[in-house]
Amino acid sequence: MQSSERKAIHTEARQSPMQADHHYTPRWGALCMLAAGLALTSQALPSCPRACRCGAAESAADCSYARLVAVPERLPPELTRLNLSNNAIRTLAAEQFGALTRLEDLDLSDNLLAYVDGDAFVGLRSLLDLRVARNRLKVLPVGAFAGLPKLRLLDVSGNEILGFLDFTFRELANLRVLKALQNAVVFVSPQAFAGLTDLRQLHLDGCNLTSVPTEAFVHLGGLTGLSLHRLESAVLPNYSLLGLARLKELIIANWPRLETLSVNSLVGLNLTSLVIRSCNLTSVPYAALHHLVYLVHLDLSYNPIGYIQGNRLEDLLRLEEFHIVGGRLRLIEMGAFYGLLHLSLLNVSRNLLSTLEERVFQSPTALQRLGLDENPLDCDCRLLWIARRRSSLDFGRGPPTCGAVVRWDFLDYAATEIVELLTCRPPRIRPHQRDLVWVEQGHTAVLHCNAEGQPPPSVTWRNPELRALTDLGRIRAVGNGSLEVRYAQPQDGGLYRCVASNAAGNDTRSVEVRVRALSKSKPFRFKSWLVALPSSPPDQQEPSFDVKTLMIAASIGFLSFLSSVSVCFVAMFFWSKGKGQIKHTANIAYVPRTAATSSNGGAGNYVETSRFTMKLM
Ligand SMILES: *[C@@H]1O[C@H](CO)[C@@H](O)[C@H](O)[C@H]1NC(C)=O
Ligand SMILES: *[C@@H]1O[C@H](CO)[C@@H](O)[C@H](O)[C@H]1NC(C)=O
Ligand SMILES: *[C@@H]1O[C@H](CO)[C@@H](O)[C@H](O)[C@H]1NC(C)=O
Ligand SMILES: *[C@@H]1O[C@H](CO)[C@@H](O)[C@H](O)[C@H]1NC(C)=O
Ligand SMILES: *[C@@H]1O[C@H](CO)[C@@H](O)[C@H](O)[C@H]1NC(C)=O
Ligand SMILES: *[C@@H]1O[C@H](CO)[C@@H](O)[C@H](O)[C@H]1NC(C)=O
Ligand SMILES: *[C@@H]1O[C@H](CO)[C@@H](O)[C@H](O)[C@H]1NC(C)=O
């Protein structure tokens, strides 16, 4: 991409001289002869310099490729266009073009300019376009562009400019386009762009810049297009582009380290086109994008993005074009483009996709252009929708092909053949698995669900309340299709459903889980309590308890419990004696604590005692 962009700039910048050549050459012979004739009669007026080709009618002088080492002297004052590109001019002196008050277009590109006097352009009061691309400028002298009140376009790309000083462009109130790509910019002063009140397009390149010059951009309230190339920044910080309220098109390209867009990095913008190409993003920056409801064009090509999540782009309701070319896309989740009713172009060429299902779109009929070539697609029924729509879809560079190694073009086949070629097998859950699983309370149960089918089915689990289970939590679906019920509790018992589904259908199987509870409301007996203790099999995964320690802790707790009970009885006895009223019976309800709490001897004792006393009161 970088090279293609560069090429684009290059060709564009070179277009004028080329065109000039092309258009003028046939006429030049005649015109020069005419000029020679005229030169004899009007000696006094400065005529066309010998190195140049002039067109009287257009009042244009083409002095490109003329091996000039300096700007020719005594240029015709009526010139409106002057092309000095592709020469060897090294300096521009003060008032170099003083007499050319009608000049509108000056091209100094592809020279060796290293020095430009601060007053070099004085007098060019009609100048509209000034190109100084691909020279050797290191600084732009402050005030160099004073006296160019009408300038609309300034191109200083491809120089060695280190920085932009305060007020460099102060007097260019009419400048619309400033191109400063391919420089070695290290700094941009906060006031560098002050005065560019009408600037619409800024192309800035900062291979040596480490952060976005947010302060400098504050002066560019009229900007509609901004491209920032080659910044050495790993993150686009919050509020980086605040103040660019009119910005419509933002290009961030070739930031090799850019991995994240902060959530609020694009706040304040109302973009219609966003390009973040050739960076290091590993995921679509959903959160940073979500407020861009007017976005029409989104390009995240050449980033190592692995997948597009479902239902995360739905705020971009006007999106028409989405490009992720040359990424690492393996998966576009179901519903990835839900909400995008106008999506007419999806280009995911050159990724690692094994399929693209129709169900990723909310309105697949809106799609007109689909770039899906150079992906290792699996040939099955999931691609049938593409085959069905092959006459109405524009596949761009090439049609989708199947196979990772040997690629074949399934769209070459007749419709009836395709149906037989692109087939799926509905999932089937292998029957040998147990459908009743017992588990001790506190232990882990693993429920298996082995399903086969073509394409390999995805397995989901639902709990007895029919809620889908994720890979988080105590009861979780493991990636390989199994379900883990960890630290089983009595309330976990019930019927769990495993659903295996693929594009061809689904299959369901239920497994009942029964949890063997620790003896809970049984009367408190030392023996039965011991039996109920987990027996810690060696392969057990959960933290196991040391039975010996537990017993010691428990007996300490139990002894102290007994002693407090007796103390209380004694106290009660004396108290009731004092009151004169004797209570003969006392109902003592005791809820045995689980092993885990009673292992903490002191605290458990305290809780038990207080509970007991409270009951008495
Ligand atoms: C700018 O960065 C390039 C590489 O990105 C490096 O070669 C060059 O020396 C740097 N220039 C300055 C002035 O730091
Ligand atoms: C950006 O803003 C968000 C929300 O205010 C905040 O959570 C996040 O930490 C900020 N990021 C940075 C890098 O400051
Ligand atoms: C891009 O990101 C990866 C991690 O996601 C990192 O290892 C790599 O160094 C990054 N590349 C650059 C050029 O910073
Ligand atoms: C955002 O831009 C769209 C057109 O691009 C315009 O219609 C809309 O009014 C803008 N919204 C704001 C809040 O500026
Ligand atoms: C997708 O992008 C590639 C590379 O930019 C281009 O060649 C191709 O034509 C595009 N496909 C579509 C359908 O636009
Ligand atoms: C799936 O993984 C879990 C734990 O990660 C394991 O217990 C179970 O046996 C695995 N299932 C299969 C079918 O391999
Ligand atoms: C399973 O397939 C049936 C039709 O065969 C369908 O009605 C049902 O919605 C599907 N269930 C799931 C969870 O996909």
Side-chain angles (χ1 to χ4, degrees):
M1 126 84 226
Q2 188 174 349
S3 70
S4 80
E5 186 122 323
R6 264 193 213 158
K7 211 159 88 195
I9 293 158
H10 208 68
T11 29
E12 194 201 318
R14 277 170 181 253
Q15 219 155 23
S16 42
M18 298 272 210
Q19 268 175 356
D21 271 351
H22 182 79
H23 288 307
Y24 304 146
T25 318
R27 278 176 268 160
W28 282 128
L31 286 171
C32 279
M33 267 185 254
L34 189 66
L38 282 175
L40 289 173
T41 53
S42 52
Q43 283 281 355
L45 276 177
S47 57
C48 186
R50 239 185 319 141
C52 311
R53 291 136 290 174
C54 299
E58 283 124 313
S59 51
D62 179 2
C63 316
S64 60
Y65 297 99
R67 300 202 192 88
L68 295 172
V69 292
V71 177
E73 285 181 12
R74 289 168 57 82
L75 289 157
E78 67 272 20
L79 278 184
T80 57
R81 300 166 64 89
L82 176 57
N83 182 354
L84 290 166
S85 66
N86 295 287
N87 285 295
I89 302 170
R90 288 170 192 276
T91 59
L92 293 182
E95 300 188 38
Q96 183 82 65
F97 305 97
L100 304 180
T101 50
R102 297 198 201 151
L103 197 65
E104 292 179 359
D105 187 323
L106 174 58
D107 192 347
L108 287 160
S109 302
D110 299 288
N111 278 285
L112 305 172
L113 280 175
Y115 173 76
V116 174
D117 189 278
D119 292 328
F121 301 113
V122 165
L124 296 177
R125 57 172 185 257
S126 304
L127 197 65
L128 299 175
D129 297 352
L130 173 59
R131 293 187 176 81
V132 202
R134 294 172 301 281
N135 278 280
R136 294 186 181 167
L137 297 174
K138 284 199 160 52
V139 283
L140 296 177
V142 175
F145 305 110
L148 301 175
K150 289 194 177 166
L151 200 66
R152 290 179 315 197
L153 176 142
L154 175 61
D155 186 352
V156 292
S157 297
N159 282 280
E160 296 158 18
I161 297 169
L162 290 171
F164 293 106
L165 304 168
D166 282 344
F167 307 116
T168 303
F169 308 104
R170 183 175 44 189
E171 295 178 29
L172 300 179
N174 283 310
L175 196 68
R176 296 291 180 89
V177 181
L178 174 55
K179 294 187 180 178
L181 292 166
Q182 319 259 351
N183 280 295
V185 173
V186 184
F187 68 94
V188 177
S189 290
Q191 303 288 330
F193 300 129
L196 293 177
T197 46
D198 213 16
L199 196 70
R200 305 289 164 85
Q201 301 277 334
L202 174 61
H203 305 257
L204 194 64
D205 182 329
C207 68
N208 302 68
L209 214 57
T210 49
S211 65
V212 178
T214 304
E215 278 185 61
F217 287 164
V218 167
H219 300 279
L220 303 176
L223 210 62
T224 57
L226 173 63
S227 52
L228 291 172
H229 294 248
R230 295 201 298 172
L231 252 67
E232 283 295 323
S233 176
V235 56
L236 186 67
N238 282 338
Y239 313 115
S240 288
L241 301 167
L242 210 58
L244 303 181
R246 300 243 192 100
L247 199 66
K248 293 286 161 223
E249 297 177 11
L250 175 61
I251 299 177
I252 288 176
N254 299 306
W255 299 26
R257 302 202 298 127
L258 185 71
E259 284 172 38
T260 10
L261 259 60
S262 298
V263 176
N264 291 330
S265 54
L266 302 178
V267 159
L269 302 182
N270 176 16
L271 300 175
T272 53
S273 167
L274 175 62
V275 176
I276 307 178
R277 283 169 81 112
S278 304
C279 297
N280 203 8
L281 298 181
T282 50
S283 62
V284 178
Y286 307 100
L289 299 185
H290 88 101
H291 70 282
L292 299 176
V293 294
Y294 284 94
L295 204 64
V296 172
H297 175 104
L298 177 60
D299 186 345
L300 301 174
S301 296
Y302 304 102
N303 281 286
I305 294 174
Y307 66 110
I308 306 175
Q309 287 173 266
N311 300 304
R312 293 290 306 273
L313 292 166
E314 53 202 2
D315 293 325
L316 308 182
L317 37 107
R318 290 178 182 81
L319 200 69
E320 291 173 17
E321 296 188 8
F322 191 13
H323 305 253
I324 299 195
V325 176
R328 306 230 182 99
L329 279 182
R330 289 182 175 279
L331 176 67
I332 299 181
E333 282 184 3
M334 223 52 73
F337 304 125
Y338 274 23
L340 311 185
L341 294 175
H342 306 289
L343 191 68
S344 62
L345 184 155
L346 176 69
N347 197 346
V348 287
S349 289
R350 295 169 61 189
N351 279 287
L352 304 168
L353 290 170
S354 57
T355 196
L356 180 70
E357 294 197 49
E358 194 172 18
R359 289 182 292 170
V360 305
F361 303 98
Q362 180 161 356
S363 63
T365 48
L367 198 68
Q368 287 160 11
R369 292 161 67 195
L370 174 65
L372 189 58
D373 53 308
E374 296 196 48
N375 279 286
L377 297 175
D378 287 341
C379 284
D380 56 40
C381 64
R382 293 173 293 177
L383 297 182
L384 272 176
W385 72 277
I386 296 176
R388 253 184 259 120
R389 290 202 51 199
R390 63 178 150 178
S391 54
S392 61
L393 281 177
D394 170 5
F395 295 112
R397 197 169 40 182
T401 49
C402 290
V405 187
V406 182
R407 293 189 180 152
W408 54 282
D409 186 351
F410 61 91
L411 298 179
D412 277 350
Y413 293 80
T416 46
E417 289 173 311
I418 287 181
V419 174
E420 281 161 28
L421 280 170
L422 305 182
T423 54
C424 289
R425 215 160 8 94
R428 202 175 59 92
I429 298 172
R430 294 204 186 96
H432 64 263
Q433 286 130 21
R434 290 181 297 165
D435 41 20
L436 174 62
V437 173
W438 276 99
V439 58
E440 305 266 333
Q441 180 173 359
H443 285 223
T444 298
V446 179
L447 318 185
H448 297 287
C449 182
N450 282 339
E452 51 177 19
Q454 177 59 37
S458 67
V459 171
T460 52
W461 281 91
R462 292 180 178 275
N463 69 5
E465 288 84 49
L466 296 180
R467 216 157 27 79
L469 294 163
T470 65
D471 57 350
L472 302 171
R474 194 168 55 80
I475 303 177
R476 57 174 195 178
V478 198
N480 60 13
S482 298
L483 182 78
E484 276 186 359
V485 180
R486 300 185 298 160
Y487 314 114
Q489 298 300 313
Q491 70 269 20
D492 296 341
L495 216 51
Y496 288 77
R497 280 173 193 79
C498 150
V499 182
S501 55
N502 68 11
N506 58 49
D507 190 12
T508 310
R509 176 166 214 87
S510 300
V511 182
E512 188 176 1
V513 172
R514 290 200 194 145
V515 183
R516 202 172 277 127
L518 292 176
S519 47
K520 201 167 193 178
S521 48
K522 282 185 194 159
F524 186 81
R525 271 186 296 131
F526 195 59
K527 211 173 142 205
S528 74
W529 187 53
L530 255 186
V531 171
L533 273 174
S535 53
S536 319
D539 61 342
Q540 196 177 317
Q541 288 172 346
E542 71 206 70
S544 57
F545 305 109
D546 180 349
V547 178
K548 211 162 145 193
T549 323
L550 247 171
M551 276 178 58
I552 294 169
S555 21
I556 291 173
F558 187 64
L559 284 179
S560 52
F561 166 71
L562 272 190
S563 53
S564 6
V565 168
S566 3
V567 168
C568 280
F569 266 113
V570 172
M572 208 166 61
F573 177 72
F574 282 113
W575 175 71
S576 53
K577 260 248 154 28
K579 288 271 174 182
Q581 270 183 339
I582 297 167
K583 218 176 184 178
H584 290 288
T585 54
N587 276 335
I588 300 164
Y590 175 65
V591 184
R593 314 204 60 77
T594 65
T597 33
S598 60
S599 69
N600 181 355
N605 188 17
Y606 171 74
V607 173
E608 281 156 10
T609 319
S610 61
R611 176 191 293 277
F612 187 76
T613 337
M614 276 169 62
K615 285 267 180 211
L616 259 180
M617 293 296 174

